Amino acid sequence: MRKYAWRGSFVERDFPDGPLEVVDSWRHSSGRAHGLEAHLARFVRTAGPLPAGFVDAMLPLLAEGELFPRIALSAGLLLLDVRPAPAPRACTALTYVTADDPRTKPEVKGPDFAAFRAYRSRYQVAGTDDTVIVDAEGAMLETTTGALVMWDGDTLCLPDGVWLPSITLHQVVARAESLGLPVERRRLLPGAGAEHPLWFLNSLHGISPVSELRDGTRVVTPPAHPSFDEWRDWWWGGFTVE
């Protein structure tokens, strides 16, 4: 991993991160990204405008390899971490737990990272990839690292509540609407996953079908979506040179 701070240009840094005020990250594959402008716009909405030259100086640092870069605002400094990206998951296993919501700023990426690590450490079942965050009635809102959606036939169902404005979820919604498919908000209770496909979405793994929800000794196995391969290929086809 290479770590930089912005001081009119990117300079390598040897100091640790301070408190993370705002963060954004995305997969960068051989100089290509999917929705980079949207990621930068989400960051700017909370962190404020990026300095002139920031993006132009960043892109050459991301020109080679399979990367998972992260920009952050921390103690008044703009930081860039150039991290290797893991292989995308073919599917995602989730822990379902009815626990207090760990989020303090659910619509901002970054401030709750430490709380998410503690939440996963406390509740995540061995063999699962992430842990679901639920509302006071146990309906699923998102996970600590991604968005959740459900399919009811041709209807794309989004969680009814507050969640991070996921870029990947926005991309999926936009495609569903372009295809004329209904999109609506619903309370996503875990039992519905026994009958309806669930997808985990983020910019690192793209569209990943939820293979199971583990709740103590109970395991819910969502069915496959009949057009999943088409959606997966569409998302990975969206990578372009920025």
Side-chain angles (χ1 to χ4, degrees), residues 21-24 38-39 41-47 101-113 116 133 141-143 159 161-167 185:
E21 300 159 37
V22 192
V23 162
D24 224 296
H39 282 279
R42 182 175 65 179
F43 183 83
V44 163
R45 282 198 295 271
T46 303
D101 189 339
R103 304 170 303 172
T104 60
K105 295 184 176 181
E107 295 179 280
V108 178
K109 186 171 183 174
D112 292 321
F113 276 13
F116 289 161
I133 296 169
L141 299 172
E142 58 185 343
T143 78
V162 178
W163 27 266
L164 182 76
S166 162
I167 303 303
R185 284 181 173 252

PDB file of all heavy atoms in Angstrom, residues 21-24 38-39 41-47 101-113 116 133 141-143 159 161-167 185:
ATOM      1  N   GLU A  21     -12.999  11.983   8.848  1.00  0.00           N
ATOM      2  CA  GLU A  21     -14.202  12.808   8.791  1.00  0.00           C
ATOM      3  C   GLU A  21     -15.088  12.439   7.599  1.00  0.00           C
ATOM      4  O   GLU A  21     -16.310  12.385   7.716  1.00  0.00           O
ATOM      5  CB  GLU A  21     -13.797  14.283   8.723  1.00  0.00           C
ATOM      6  CG  GLU A  21     -12.983  14.732   9.947  1.00  0.00           C
ATOM      7  CD  GLU A  21     -12.173  15.980   9.670  1.00  0.00           C
ATOM      8  OE1 GLU A  21     -12.682  16.855   8.935  1.00  0.00           O
ATOM      9  OE2 GLU A  21     -11.043  16.089  10.168  1.00  0.00           O
ATOM     10  N   VAL A  22     -14.468  12.203   6.464  1.00  0.00           N
ATOM     11  CA  VAL A  22     -15.174  11.785   5.246  1.00  0.00           C
ATOM     12  C   VAL A  22     -14.231  10.874   4.474  1.00  0.00           C
ATOM     13  O   VAL A  22     -13.021  11.108   4.431  1.00  0.00           O
ATOM     14  CB  VAL A  22     -15.564  12.986   4.344  1.00  0.00           C
ATOM     15  CG1 VAL A  22     -16.548  12.533   3.261  1.00  0.00           C
ATOM     16  CG2 VAL A  22     -16.125  14.128   5.134  1.00  0.00           C
ATOM     17  N   VAL A  23     -14.804   9.851   3.828  1.00  0.00           N
ATOM     18  CA  VAL A  23     -14.018   8.884   3.075  1.00  0.00           C
ATOM     19  C   VAL A  23     -14.777   8.539   1.801  1.00  0.00           C
ATOM     20  O   VAL A  23     -16.014   8.562   1.782  1.00  0.00           O
ATOM     21  CB  VAL A  23     -13.793   7.603   3.919  1.00  0.00           C
ATOM     22  CG1 VAL A  23     -13.378   6.419   3.060  1.00  0.00           C
ATOM     23  CG2 VAL A  23     -12.755   7.846   5.003  1.00  0.00           C
ATOM     24  N   ASP A  24     -14.049   8.223   0.744  1.00  0.00           N
ATOM     25  CA  ASP A  24     -14.661   7.537  -0.386  1.00  0.00           C
ATOM     26  C   ASP A  24     -13.648   6.582  -0.985  1.00  0.00           C
ATOM     27  O   ASP A  24     -12.438   6.774  -0.851  1.00  0.00           O
ATOM     28  CB  ASP A  24     -15.192   8.493  -1.450  1.00  0.00           C
ATOM     29  CG  ASP A  24     -16.575   8.054  -1.921  1.00  0.00           C
ATOM     30  OD1 ASP A  24     -16.674   6.957  -2.511  1.00  0.00           O
ATOM     31  OD2 ASP A  24     -17.555   8.780  -1.674  1.00  0.00           O
ATOM     32  N   ALA A  38     -19.077  10.138  -9.721  1.00  0.00           N
ATOM     33  CA  ALA A  38     -20.104  10.052  -8.680  1.00  0.00           C
ATOM     34  C   ALA A  38     -19.473   9.866  -7.300  1.00  0.00           C
ATOM     35  O   ALA A  38     -19.941  10.435  -6.308  1.00  0.00           O
ATOM     36  CB  ALA A  38     -21.066   8.912  -8.986  1.00  0.00           C
ATOM     37  N   HIS A  39     -18.411   9.057  -7.210  1.00  0.00           N
ATOM     38  CA  HIS A  39     -17.722   8.887  -5.930  1.00  0.00           C
ATOM     39  C   HIS A  39     -17.109  10.206  -5.465  1.00  0.00           C
ATOM     40  O   HIS A  39     -17.209  10.570  -4.281  1.00  0.00           O
ATOM     41  CB  HIS A  39     -16.641   7.813  -6.061  1.00  0.00           C
ATOM     42  CG  HIS A  39     -17.175   6.422  -6.043  1.00  0.00           C
ATOM     43  ND1 HIS A  39     -17.502   5.770  -4.877  1.00  0.00           N
ATOM     44  CD2 HIS A  39     -17.464   5.569  -7.055  1.00  0.00           C
ATOM     45  CE1 HIS A  39     -17.958   4.558  -5.164  1.00  0.00           C
ATOM     46  NE2 HIS A  39     -17.946   4.411  -6.479  1.00  0.00           N
ATOM     47  N   ALA A  41     -18.055  13.199  -6.298  1.00  0.00           N
ATOM     48  CA  ALA A  41     -19.133  14.130  -5.962  1.00  0.00           C
ATOM     49  C   ALA A  41     -19.703  13.838  -4.581  1.00  0.00           C
ATOM     50  O   ALA A  41     -20.019  14.766  -3.820  1.00  0.00           O
ATOM     51  CB  ALA A  41     -20.230  14.066  -7.021  1.00  0.00           C
ATOM     52  N   ARG A  42     -19.840  12.553  -4.231  1.00  0.00           N
ATOM     53  CA  ARG A  42     -20.327  12.209  -2.885  1.00  0.00           C
ATOM     54  C   ARG A  42     -19.349  12.694  -1.820  1.00  0.00           C
ATOM     55  O   ARG A  42     -19.759  13.220  -0.780  1.00  0.00           O
ATOM     56  CB  ARG A  42     -20.539  10.698  -2.777  1.00  0.00           C
ATOM     57  CG  ARG A  42     -21.083  10.257  -1.422  1.00  0.00           C
ATOM     58  CD  ARG A  42     -21.405   8.770  -1.387  1.00  0.00           C
ATOM     59  NE  ARG A  42     -20.222   7.920  -1.530  1.00  0.00           N
ATOM     60  CZ  ARG A  42     -20.257   6.587  -1.509  1.00  0.00           C
ATOM     61  NH1 ARG A  42     -21.426   5.956  -1.367  1.00  0.00           N
ATOM     62  NH2 ARG A  42     -19.160   5.884  -1.632  1.00  0.00           N
ATOM     63  N   PHE A  43     -18.068  12.532  -2.070  1.00  0.00           N
ATOM     64  CA  PHE A  43     -17.053  13.003  -1.134  1.00  0.00           C
ATOM     65  C   PHE A  43     -17.130  14.518  -0.973  1.00  0.00           C
ATOM     66  O   PHE A  43     -17.129  15.043   0.155  1.00  0.00           O
ATOM     67  CB  PHE A  43     -15.668  12.586  -1.644  1.00  0.00           C
ATOM     68  CG  PHE A  43     -14.527  12.947  -0.744  1.00  0.00           C
ATOM     69  CD1 PHE A  43     -14.200  12.136   0.340  1.00  0.00           C
ATOM     70  CD2 PHE A  43     -13.770  14.080  -0.968  1.00  0.00           C
ATOM     71  CE1 PHE A  43     -13.136  12.458   1.180  1.00  0.00           C
ATOM     72  CE2 PHE A  43     -12.709  14.417  -0.143  1.00  0.00           C
ATOM     73  CZ  PHE A  43     -12.391  13.598   0.937  1.00  0.00           C
ATOM     74  N   VAL A  44     -17.231  15.225  -2.070  1.00  0.00           N
ATOM     75  CA  VAL A  44     -17.234  16.695  -2.061  1.00  0.00           C
ATOM     76  C   VAL A  44     -18.457  17.242  -1.335  1.00  0.00           C
ATOM     77  O   VAL A  44     -18.380  18.296  -0.689  1.00  0.00           O
ATOM     78  CB  VAL A  44     -17.154  17.215  -3.515  1.00  0.00           C
ATOM     79  CG1 VAL A  44     -17.569  18.668  -3.627  1.00  0.00           C
ATOM     80  CG2 VAL A  44     -15.741  17.005  -4.056  1.00  0.00           C
ATOM     81  N   ARG A  45     -19.584  16.549  -1.405  1.00  0.00           N
ATOM     82  CA  ARG A  45     -20.797  17.048  -0.749  1.00  0.00           C
ATOM     83  C   ARG A  45     -20.590  17.274   0.740  1.00  0.00           C
ATOM     84  O   ARG A  45     -21.208  18.164   1.332  1.00  0.00           O
ATOM     85  CB  ARG A  45     -21.959  16.070  -0.972  1.00  0.00           C
ATOM     86  CG  ARG A  45     -22.594  16.164  -2.337  1.00  0.00           C
ATOM     87  CD  ARG A  45     -23.971  15.528  -2.364  1.00  0.00           C
ATOM     88  NE  ARG A  45     -23.934  14.103  -2.133  1.00  0.00           N
ATOM     89  CZ  ARG A  45     -23.794  13.187  -3.099  1.00  0.00           C
ATOM     90  NH1 ARG A  45     -23.657  13.572  -4.362  1.00  0.00           N
ATOM     91  NH2 ARG A  45     -23.781  11.890  -2.815  1.00  0.00           N
ATOM     92  N   THR A  46     -19.740  16.474   1.366  1.00  0.00           N
ATOM     93  CA  THR A  46     -19.489  16.636   2.798  1.00  0.00           C
ATOM     94  C   THR A  46     -18.141  17.286   3.067  1.00  0.00           C
ATOM     95  O   THR A  46     -18.022  18.145   3.953  1.00  0.00           O
ATOM     96  CB  THR A  46     -19.535  15.273   3.507  1.00  0.00           C
ATOM     97  OG1 THR A  46     -20.795  14.669   3.248  1.00  0.00           O
ATOM     98  CG2 THR A  46     -19.359  15.426   5.011  1.00  0.00           C
ATOM     99  N   ALA A  47     -17.113  16.903   2.318  1.00  0.00           N
ATOM    100  CA  ALA A  47     -15.753  17.380   2.601  1.00  0.00           C
ATOM    101  C   ALA A  47     -15.469  18.749   2.010  1.00  0.00           C
ATOM    102  O   ALA A  47     -14.501  19.402   2.419  1.00  0.00           O
ATOM    103  CB  ALA A  47     -14.739  16.373   2.054  1.00  0.00           C
ATOM    104  N   ASP A 101     -28.088   0.036  16.380  1.00  0.00           N
ATOM    105  CA  ASP A 101     -27.475   0.628  15.190  1.00  0.00           C
ATOM    106  C   ASP A 101     -26.163   1.303  15.587  1.00  0.00           C
ATOM    107  O   ASP A 101     -26.148   2.206  16.431  1.00  0.00           O
ATOM    108  CB  ASP A 101     -28.457   1.654  14.613  1.00  0.00           C
ATOM    109  CG  ASP A 101     -28.039   2.190  13.259  1.00  0.00           C
ATOM    110  OD1 ASP A 101     -26.845   2.113  12.912  1.00  0.00           O
ATOM    111  OD2 ASP A 101     -28.919   2.722  12.548  1.00  0.00           O
ATOM    112  N   PRO A 102     -25.032   0.893  14.995  1.00  0.00           N
ATOM    113  CA  PRO A 102     -23.755   1.492  15.382  1.00  0.00           C
ATOM    114  C   PRO A 102     -23.476   2.843  14.729  1.00  0.00           C
ATOM    115  O   PRO A 102     -22.489   3.509  15.067  1.00  0.00           O
ATOM    116  CB  PRO A 102     -22.734   0.451  14.906  1.00  0.00           C
ATOM    117  CG  PRO A 102     -23.382  -0.149  13.694  1.00  0.00           C
ATOM    118  CD  PRO A 102     -24.861  -0.188  14.019  1.00  0.00           C
ATOM    119  N   ARG A 103     -24.321   3.277  13.818  1.00  0.00           N
ATOM    120  CA  ARG A 103     -24.034   4.468  13.020  1.00  0.00           C
ATOM    121  C   ARG A 103     -24.369   5.752  13.776  1.00  0.00           C
ATOM    122  O   ARG A 103     -25.395   5.842  14.436  1.00  0.00           O
ATOM    123  CB  ARG A 103     -24.814   4.421  11.714  1.00  0.00           C
ATOM    124  CG  ARG A 103     -24.573   3.169  10.886  1.00  0.00           C
ATOM    125  CD  ARG A 103     -25.550   3.072   9.718  1.00  0.00           C
ATOM    126  NE  ARG A 103     -26.934   3.108  10.159  1.00  0.00           N
ATOM    127  CZ  ARG A 103     -27.988   3.194   9.350  1.00  0.00           C
ATOM    128  NH1 ARG A 103     -27.802   3.237   8.032  1.00  0.00           N
ATOM    129  NH2 ARG A 103     -29.215   3.217   9.826  1.00  0.00           N
ATOM    130  N   THR A 104     -23.503   6.732  13.639  1.00  0.00           N
ATOM    131  CA  THR A 104     -23.782   8.074  14.151  1.00  0.00           C
ATOM    132  C   THR A 104     -24.079   9.040  13.013  1.00  0.00           C
ATOM    133  O   THR A 104     -24.820  10.002  13.199  1.00  0.00           O
ATOM    134  CB  THR A 104     -22.610   8.612  14.981  1.00  0.00           C
ATOM    135  OG1 THR A 104     -21.435   8.673  14.158  1.00  0.00           O
ATOM    136  CG2 THR A 104     -22.331   7.716  16.185  1.00  0.00           C
ATOM    137  N   LYS A 105     -23.487   8.800  11.845  1.00  0.00           N
ATOM    138  CA  LYS A 105     -23.720   9.619  10.647  1.00  0.00           C
ATOM    139  C   LYS A 105     -23.968   8.673   9.473  1.00  0.00           C
ATOM    140  O   LYS A 105     -23.094   8.480   8.623  1.00  0.00           O
ATOM    141  CB  LYS A 105     -22.534  10.543  10.377  1.00  0.00           C
ATOM    142  CG  LYS A 105     -22.312  11.590  11.458  1.00  0.00           C
ATOM    143  CD  LYS A 105     -21.184  12.545  11.084  1.00  0.00           C
ATOM    144  CE  LYS A 105     -21.033  13.645  12.124  1.00  0.00           C
ATOM    145  NZ  LYS A 105     -19.947  14.591  11.753  1.00  0.00           N
ATOM    146  N   PRO A 106     -25.145   8.091   9.400  1.00  0.00           N
ATOM    147  CA  PRO A 106     -25.380   7.034   8.409  1.00  0.00           C
ATOM    148  C   PRO A 106     -25.277   7.485   6.965  1.00  0.00           C
ATOM    149  O   PRO A 106     -25.074   6.644   6.078  1.00  0.00           O
ATOM    150  CB  PRO A 106     -26.799   6.556   8.740  1.00  0.00           C
ATOM    151  CG  PRO A 106     -27.420   7.664   9.499  1.00  0.00           C
ATOM    152  CD  PRO A 106     -26.313   8.317  10.264  1.00  0.00           C
ATOM    153  N   GLU A 107     -25.409   8.782   6.700  1.00  0.00           N
ATOM    154  CA  GLU A 107     -25.367   9.249   5.317  1.00  0.00           C
ATOM    155  C   GLU A 107     -23.998   9.784   4.910  1.00  0.00           C
ATOM    156  O   GLU A 107     -23.844  10.334   3.819  1.00  0.00           O
ATOM    157  CB  GLU A 107     -26.450  10.298   5.103  1.00  0.00           C
ATOM    158  CG  GLU A 107     -27.859   9.721   5.263  1.00  0.00           C
ATOM    159  CD  GLU A 107     -28.955  10.749   5.079  1.00  0.00           C
ATOM    160  OE1 GLU A 107     -29.211  11.503   6.024  1.00  0.00           O
ATOM    161  OE2 GLU A 107     -29.539  10.790   3.979  1.00  0.00           O
ATOM    162  N   VAL A 108     -23.004   9.625   5.795  1.00  0.00           N
ATOM    163  CA  VAL A 108     -21.635  10.056   5.502  1.00  0.00           C
ATOM    164  C   VAL A 108     -20.713   8.857   5.661  1.00  0.00           C
ATOM    165  O   VAL A 108     -20.734   8.188   6.696  1.00  0.00           O
ATOM    166  CB  VAL A 108     -21.187  11.199   6.439  1.00  0.00           C
ATOM    167  CG1 VAL A 108     -19.743  11.594   6.126  1.00  0.00           C
ATOM    168  CG2 VAL A 108     -22.109  12.406   6.308  1.00  0.00           C
ATOM    169  N   LYS A 109     -19.887   8.611   4.659  1.00  0.00           N
ATOM    170  CA  LYS A 109     -18.953   7.491   4.722  1.00  0.00           C
ATOM    171  C   LYS A 109     -17.677   7.922   5.430  1.00  0.00           C
ATOM    172  O   LYS A 109     -17.079   8.930   5.051  1.00  0.00           O
ATOM    173  CB  LYS A 109     -18.625   7.011   3.304  1.00  0.00           C
ATOM    174  CG  LYS A 109     -17.780   5.748   3.258  1.00  0.00           C
ATOM    175  CD  LYS A 109     -17.682   5.214   1.844  1.00  0.00           C
ATOM    176  CE  LYS A 109     -16.901   3.917   1.801  1.00  0.00           C
ATOM    177  NZ  LYS A 109     -16.915   3.311   0.451  1.00  0.00           N
ATOM    178  N   GLY A 110     -17.296   7.182   6.472  1.00  0.00           N
ATOM    179  CA  GLY A 110     -16.035   7.453   7.139  1.00  0.00           C
ATOM    180  C   GLY A 110     -16.095   7.559   8.647  1.00  0.00           C
ATOM    181  O   GLY A 110     -15.362   6.851   9.345  1.00  0.00           O
ATOM    182  N   PRO A 111     -16.947   8.443   9.199  1.00  0.00           N
ATOM    183  CA  PRO A 111     -16.906   8.659  10.644  1.00  0.00           C
ATOM    184  C   PRO A 111     -17.204   7.423  11.483  1.00  0.00           C
ATOM    185  O   PRO A 111     -16.758   7.331  12.625  1.00  0.00           O
ATOM    186  CB  PRO A 111     -17.976   9.742  10.875  1.00  0.00           C
ATOM    187  CG  PRO A 111     -18.145  10.414   9.563  1.00  0.00           C
ATOM    188  CD  PRO A 111     -17.890   9.363   8.528  1.00  0.00           C
ATOM    189  N   ASP A 112     -17.941   6.457  10.923  1.00  0.00           N
ATOM    190  CA  ASP A 112     -18.356   5.287  11.702  1.00  0.00           C
ATOM    191  C   ASP A 112     -17.501   4.046  11.447  1.00  0.00           C
ATOM    192  O   ASP A 112     -17.853   2.950  11.902  1.00  0.00           O
ATOM    193  CB  ASP A 112     -19.836   4.972  11.413  1.00  0.00           C
ATOM    194  CG  ASP A 112     -20.763   6.045  11.946  1.00  0.00           C
ATOM    195  OD1 ASP A 112     -20.497   6.566  13.042  1.00  0.00           O
ATOM    196  OD2 ASP A 112     -21.744   6.369  11.264  1.00  0.00           O
ATOM    197  N   PHE A 113     -16.380   4.199  10.769  1.00  0.00           N
ATOM    198  CA  PHE A 113     -15.566   3.026  10.451  1.00  0.00           C
ATOM    199  C   PHE A 113     -15.130   2.267  11.704  1.00  0.00           C
ATOM    200  O   PHE A 113     -15.163   1.033  11.752  1.00  0.00           O
ATOM    201  CB  PHE A 113     -14.338   3.432   9.639  1.00  0.00           C
ATOM    202  CG  PHE A 113     -14.596   3.545   8.155  1.00  0.00           C
ATOM    203  CD1 PHE A 113     -15.886   3.552   7.640  1.00  0.00           C
ATOM    204  CD2 PHE A 113     -13.537   3.657   7.272  1.00  0.00           C
ATOM    205  CE1 PHE A 113     -16.125   3.650   6.286  1.00  0.00           C
ATOM    206  CE2 PHE A 113     -13.765   3.759   5.904  1.00  0.00           C
ATOM    207  CZ  PHE A 113     -15.053   3.752   5.413  1.00  0.00           C
ATOM    208  N   PHE A 116     -17.986   0.376  13.096  1.00  0.00           N
ATOM    209  CA  PHE A 116     -18.293  -0.796  12.267  1.00  0.00           C
ATOM    210  C   PHE A 116     -17.335  -1.950  12.575  1.00  0.00           C
ATOM    211  O   PHE A 116     -17.750  -3.110  12.633  1.00  0.00           O
ATOM    212  CB  PHE A 116     -18.211  -0.443  10.790  1.00  0.00           C
ATOM    213  CG  PHE A 116     -19.323   0.446  10.294  1.00  0.00           C
ATOM    214  CD1 PHE A 116     -19.181   1.163   9.110  1.00  0.00           C
ATOM    215  CD2 PHE A 116     -20.513   0.564  10.993  1.00  0.00           C
ATOM    216  CE1 PHE A 116     -20.199   1.975   8.640  1.00  0.00           C
ATOM    217  CE2 PHE A 116     -21.542   1.381  10.534  1.00  0.00           C
ATOM    218  CZ  PHE A 116     -21.379   2.086   9.348  1.00  0.00           C
ATOM    219  N   ILE A 133     -26.909  -4.243   9.299  1.00  0.00           N
ATOM    220  CA  ILE A 133     -27.382  -3.223  10.231  1.00  0.00           C
ATOM    221  C   ILE A 133     -28.900  -3.145  10.079  1.00  0.00           C
ATOM    222  O   ILE A 133     -29.411  -3.077   8.953  1.00  0.00           O
ATOM    223  CB  ILE A 133     -26.738  -1.864   9.934  1.00  0.00           C
ATOM    224  CG1 ILE A 133     -25.212  -1.947  10.149  1.00  0.00           C
ATOM    225  CG2 ILE A 133     -27.344  -0.767  10.806  1.00  0.00           C
ATOM    226  CD1 ILE A 133     -24.458  -0.750   9.628  1.00  0.00           C
ATOM    227  N   LEU A 141     -31.256  -2.580   6.788  1.00  0.00           N
ATOM    228  CA  LEU A 141     -31.020  -1.284   6.168  1.00  0.00           C
ATOM    229  C   LEU A 141     -29.851  -1.326   5.189  1.00  0.00           C
ATOM    230  O   LEU A 141     -29.928  -0.786   4.099  1.00  0.00           O
ATOM    231  CB  LEU A 141     -30.742  -0.226   7.247  1.00  0.00           C
ATOM    232  CG  LEU A 141     -31.871  -0.002   8.254  1.00  0.00           C
ATOM    233  CD1 LEU A 141     -31.409   0.914   9.381  1.00  0.00           C
ATOM    234  CD2 LEU A 141     -33.083   0.602   7.548  1.00  0.00           C
ATOM    235  N   GLU A 142     -28.752  -1.926   5.603  1.00  0.00           N
ATOM    236  CA  GLU A 142     -27.539  -2.055   4.809  1.00  0.00           C
ATOM    237  C   GLU A 142     -26.601  -2.960   5.591  1.00  0.00           C
ATOM    238  O   GLU A 142     -26.989  -3.542   6.606  1.00  0.00           O
ATOM    239  CB  GLU A 142     -26.898  -0.685   4.548  1.00  0.00           C
ATOM    240  CG  GLU A 142     -26.534   0.109   5.798  1.00  0.00           C
ATOM    241  CD  GLU A 142     -26.019   1.506   5.481  1.00  0.00           C
ATOM    242  OE1 GLU A 142     -25.637   1.777   4.317  1.00  0.00           O
ATOM    243  OE2 GLU A 142     -26.007   2.352   6.404  1.00  0.00           O
ATOM    244  N   THR A 143     -25.350  -3.091   5.140  1.00  0.00           N
ATOM    245  CA  THR A 143     -24.337  -3.791   5.917  1.00  0.00           C
ATOM    246  C   THR A 143     -23.268  -2.771   6.295  1.00  0.00           C
ATOM    247  O   THR A 143     -23.352  -1.595   5.913  1.00  0.00           O
ATOM    248  CB  THR A 143     -23.705  -4.941   5.124  1.00  0.00           C
ATOM    249  OG1 THR A 143     -22.753  -4.407   4.194  1.00  0.00           O
ATOM    250  CG2 THR A 143     -24.767  -5.757   4.389  1.00  0.00           C
ATOM    251  N   PRO A 159     -34.300  -0.785   0.842  1.00  0.00           N
ATOM    252  CA  PRO A 159     -34.680  -0.718   2.257  1.00  0.00           C
ATOM    253  C   PRO A 159     -35.443   0.567   2.571  1.00  0.00           C
ATOM    254  O   PRO A 159     -35.136   1.638   2.031  1.00  0.00           O
ATOM    255  CB  PRO A 159     -33.328  -0.742   2.990  1.00  0.00           C
ATOM    256  CG  PRO A 159     -32.383  -1.368   2.022  1.00  0.00           C
ATOM    257  CD  PRO A 159     -32.846  -0.930   0.668  1.00  0.00           C
ATOM    258  N   GLY A 161     -35.696   3.103   4.978  1.00  0.00           N
ATOM    259  CA  GLY A 161     -34.999   3.666   6.126  1.00  0.00           C
ATOM    260  C   GLY A 161     -33.861   4.544   5.650  1.00  0.00           C
ATOM    261  O   GLY A 161     -33.822   4.969   4.498  1.00  0.00           O
ATOM    262  N   VAL A 162     -32.927   4.812   6.543  1.00  0.00           N
ATOM    263  CA  VAL A 162     -31.786   5.680   6.226  1.00  0.00           C
ATOM    264  C   VAL A 162     -30.562   4.816   5.999  1.00  0.00           C
ATOM    265  O   VAL A 162     -30.245   3.947   6.815  1.00  0.00           O
ATOM    266  CB  VAL A 162     -31.532   6.683   7.376  1.00  0.00           C
ATOM    267  CG1 VAL A 162     -30.315   7.546   7.063  1.00  0.00           C
ATOM    268  CG2 VAL A 162     -32.759   7.559   7.603  1.00  0.00           C
ATOM    269  N   TRP A 163     -29.867   5.062   4.884  1.00  0.00           N
ATOM    270  CA  TRP A 163     -28.659   4.327   4.578  1.00  0.00           C
ATOM    271  C   TRP A 163     -27.736   5.214   3.771  1.00  0.00           C
ATOM    272  O   TRP A 163     -28.142   6.244   3.219  1.00  0.00           O
ATOM    273  CB  TRP A 163     -28.964   3.030   3.821  1.00  0.00           C
ATOM    274  CG  TRP A 163     -30.211   3.015   3.000  1.00  0.00           C
ATOM    275  CD1 TRP A 163     -31.452   2.566   3.396  1.00  0.00           C
ATOM    276  CD2 TRP A 163     -30.386   3.473   1.654  1.00  0.00           C
ATOM    277  NE1 TRP A 163     -32.368   2.698   2.383  1.00  0.00           N
ATOM    278  CE2 TRP A 163     -31.741   3.257   1.294  1.00  0.00           C
ATOM    279  CE3 TRP A 163     -29.535   4.020   0.697  1.00  0.00           C
ATOM    280  CZ2 TRP A 163     -32.257   3.590   0.043  1.00  0.00           C
ATOM    281  CZ3 TRP A 163     -30.041   4.350  -0.547  1.00  0.00           C
ATOM    282  CH2 TRP A 163     -31.387   4.135  -0.855  1.00  0.00           C
ATOM    283  N   LEU A 164     -26.456   4.809   3.709  1.00  0.00           N
ATOM    284  CA  LEU A 164     -25.477   5.562   2.937  1.00  0.00           C
ATOM    285  C   LEU A 164     -25.923   5.634   1.478  1.00  0.00           C
ATOM    286  O   LEU A 164     -26.336   4.608   0.910  1.00  0.00           O
ATOM    287  CB  LEU A 164     -24.110   4.879   3.027  1.00  0.00           C
ATOM    288  CG  LEU A 164     -22.964   5.594   2.303  1.00  0.00           C
ATOM    289  CD1 LEU A 164     -22.517   6.798   3.104  1.00  0.00           C
ATOM    290  CD2 LEU A 164     -21.793   4.648   2.070  1.00  0.00           C
ATOM    291  N   PRO A 165     -25.842   6.806   0.845  1.00  0.00           N
ATOM    292  CA  PRO A 165     -26.205   6.896  -0.574  1.00  0.00           C
ATOM    293  C   PRO A 165     -25.173   6.171  -1.435  1.00  0.00           C
ATOM    294  O   PRO A 165     -24.217   6.748  -1.957  1.00  0.00           O
ATOM    295  CB  PRO A 165     -26.238   8.403  -0.843  1.00  0.00           C
ATOM    296  CG  PRO A 165     -25.393   9.017   0.217  1.00  0.00           C
ATOM    297  CD  PRO A 165     -25.530   8.133   1.416  1.00  0.00           C
ATOM    298  N   SER A 166     -25.375   4.875  -1.600  1.00  0.00           N
ATOM    299  CA  SER A 166     -24.444   3.995  -2.299  1.00  0.00           C
ATOM    300  C   SER A 166     -24.408   4.309  -3.791  1.00  0.00           C
ATOM    301  O   SER A 166     -25.450   4.375  -4.447  1.00  0.00           O
ATOM    302  CB  SER A 166     -24.880   2.537  -2.093  1.00  0.00           C
ATOM    303  OG  SER A 166     -24.292   1.686  -3.046  1.00  0.00           O
ATOM    304  N   ILE A 167     -23.194   4.477  -4.327  1.00  0.00           N
ATOM    305  CA  ILE A 167     -23.052   4.730  -5.759  1.00  0.00           C
ATOM    306  C   ILE A 167     -23.496   3.507  -6.556  1.00  0.00           C
ATOM    307  O   ILE A 167     -24.189   3.628  -7.574  1.00  0.00           O
ATOM    308  CB  ILE A 167     -21.597   5.099  -6.100  1.00  0.00           C
ATOM    309  CG1 ILE A 167     -21.138   6.318  -5.280  1.00  0.00           C
ATOM    310  CG2 ILE A 167     -21.460   5.358  -7.593  1.00  0.00           C
ATOM    311  CD1 ILE A 167     -21.985   7.543  -5.443  1.00  0.00           C
ATOM    312  N   ARG A 185     -39.564   1.233  -2.107  1.00  0.00           N
ATOM    313  CA  ARG A 185     -38.989   0.995  -0.783  1.00  0.00           C
ATOM    314  C   ARG A 185     -39.864   0.011  -0.013  1.00  0.00           C
ATOM    315  O   ARG A 185     -41.093   0.100  -0.069  1.00  0.00           O
ATOM    316  CB  ARG A 185     -38.871   2.299  -0.003  1.00  0.00           C
ATOM    317  CG  ARG A 185     -37.701   3.181  -0.451  1.00  0.00           C
ATOM    318  CD  ARG A 185     -37.638   4.438   0.401  1.00  0.00           C
ATOM    319  NE  ARG A 185     -36.448   5.214   0.110  1.00  0.00           N
ATOM    320  CZ  ARG A 185     -35.403   5.333   0.921  1.00  0.00           C
ATOM    321  NH1 ARG A 185     -35.410   4.686   2.085  1.00  0.00           N
ATOM    322  NH2 ARG A 185     -34.365   6.071   0.603  1.00  0.00           N
TER     323      ARG A 185
END
